[in-house]
């Protein structure tokens, strides 16, 4: 990606955040008990023949049962007819508001943090808001959640979305531009190093892996470049002709691209 294109993206990012946060109108367990890991390992190791390879068909998955993470989750789904679902859902923080609906075990979220308490005060993600996002009865708070279905010739072409609070919008934007503007396949688009600007704080946050030359050029242009942890966890699908390609973000190893 050229410096110019990146620059354009940052510019769009910081403005978009500024715009959305300050000006726009705001617009919503059952777990299987996983086996004890040591017991499970012992059970599996008892079946290993140290002298001979085990044919793959004799190895069934069996567990351990994947544990559900505590974070916001995104899934993208497409059926063989090309019907698509893009779904991001959240409790906001671990255990949400800490309140369950009696008799159901369902936790209520604490999306209330996404309202701006007072103009200019940052929420838990460092996002500052204005009056349009002030807390009012009967009003929905601003959300970064951006489940996306991009249509090509009127039909679902790219399905994507991500958890990650403040990083969601820039992550999703980069998936879309990586695929559409830079011609990457969906794995390349997902793995590509991410950058993020959210207006305040005035810093250009990057993942490790952006070229040193690019970083130096950006610094010379006046960007306060800060290297941070990974940003966003995109789970995406692209449909090209009769083929459906999925990519799970390696930033969250629990993700999976699968076909049935
Ligand atoms: O709605 C929002 O924008 C946030 N409450 C989403 C929170 C989130 O993505 C946390 N993720 N890891």
């Amino acid at each position: 990606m050229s410096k110019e294109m990146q620059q354009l993206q940052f510019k769009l990012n910081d403005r978009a955040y500024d715009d959305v946060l300050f000006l726009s109108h705001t617009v919503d367990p059952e777990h299987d008990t996983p086996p004890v890991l040591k017991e499970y390992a012992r059970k599996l190791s008892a079946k290993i023949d140290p002298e001979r390879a085990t044919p793959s068909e004799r190895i069934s998955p069996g567990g351990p049962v994947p544990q559900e993470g505590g974070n916001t989750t995104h899934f993208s789904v497409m059926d063989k007819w090309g019907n698509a679902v893009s779904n991001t859902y959240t409790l906001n923080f671990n255990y949400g508001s800490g309140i369950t609906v009696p008799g159901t075990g369902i936790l209520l979220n604490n999306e209330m943090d996404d309202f701006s308490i007072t103009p200019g005060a940052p929420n838990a993600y460092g996002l500052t808001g204005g009056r349009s996002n002030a807390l009012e009865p009967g009003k929905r708070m601003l959300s970064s959640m951006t489940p996306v279905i991009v249509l090509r010739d009127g039909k679902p072409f790219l399905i994507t979305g991500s958890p990650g609070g403040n990083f969601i919008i820039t992550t999703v934007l980069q998936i879309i531009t990586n695929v559409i503007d830079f011609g990457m396949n969906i794995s390349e688009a997902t793995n590509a190093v991410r950058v993020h600007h959210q207006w305040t704080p005035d810093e250009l946050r990057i993942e490790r892996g952006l070229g040193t030359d690019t970083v130096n050029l950006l610094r010379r242009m006046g960007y306060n470049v800060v290297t941070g942890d990974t940003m966003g966890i995109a789970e995406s699908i692209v449909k090209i002709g009769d083929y459906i390609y999925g990519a799970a973000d390696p930033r969250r190893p629990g993700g999976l691209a699968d076909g049935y």
Side-chain angles (χ1 to χ4, degrees), residues 9-158:
Q9 209 171 79
F10 310 148
K11 292 265 172 234
L12 288 172
N13 291 170
D14 61 8
R15 275 151 189 76
Y17 274 83
D18 173 8
D19 218 33
V20 170
L21 293 172
F22 251 94
L23 304 176
S24 81
H25 300 286
T26 56
V27 266
D28 188 301
E30 292 175 5
H31 291 270
D32 291 305
T33 310
V36 178
L37 284 175
K38 275 194 180 162
E39 272 171 32
Y40 183 67
R42 239 176 262 128
K43 211 168 114 193
L44 282 189
S45 61
K47 290 186 190 161
I48 296 172
D49 180 347
E51 304 298 329
R52 298 192 67 79
T54 310
S56 296
E57 71 262 15
R58 282 193 12 225
I59 304 172
S60 59
V65 176
Q67 295 190 42
E68 195 179 334
N71 333 56
T72 303
T73 300
H74 179 86
F75 57 78
S76 300
V77 184
M78 183 174 268
D79 70 11
K80 64 180 173 183
W81 297 283
N83 299 305
V85 173
S86 182
N87 185 67
T88 313
Y89 64 101
T90 191
L91 288 172
N92 205 14
F93 303 125
N94 289 346
Y95 301 103
S97 58
I99 298 168
T100 53
V101 180
T104 67
I106 295 172
L107 273 164
L108 299 179
N109 67 43
N110 68 346
E111 283 284 281
M112 294 296 273
D113 177 68
D114 287 331
F115 277 120
S116 45
I117 297 167
T118 186
N123 74 356
Y125 298 93
L127 298 170
T128 47
R131 286 188 203 292
S132 61
N133 192 36
L135 207 154
E136 282 176 63
K139 184 172 165 187
R140 193 184 295 182
M141 62 292 289
L142 186 63
S143 173
S144 302
M145 290 191 288
T146 317
V148 166
I149 299 178
V150 179
L151 304 182
R152 180 173 273 177
D153 301 326
K155 299 209 169 112
F157 159 64
L158 167 60

Side-chain angles (χ1 to χ4, degrees), residues 173-205:
L173 176 66
Q174 284 167 93
I175 294 287
I176 296 171
T177 52
N178 284 349
V179 170
I180 294 177
D181 301 305
F182 304 124
M184 295 185 198
N185 68 41
I186 192 61
S187 292
E188 292 167 329
T190 305
N191 296 348
V193 63
R194 291 189 186 135
V195 294
H196 173 82
H197 201 306
Q198 64 179 51
W199 172 48
T200 57
D202 189 1
E203 62 182 33
L204 178 61
R205 195 184 145 120

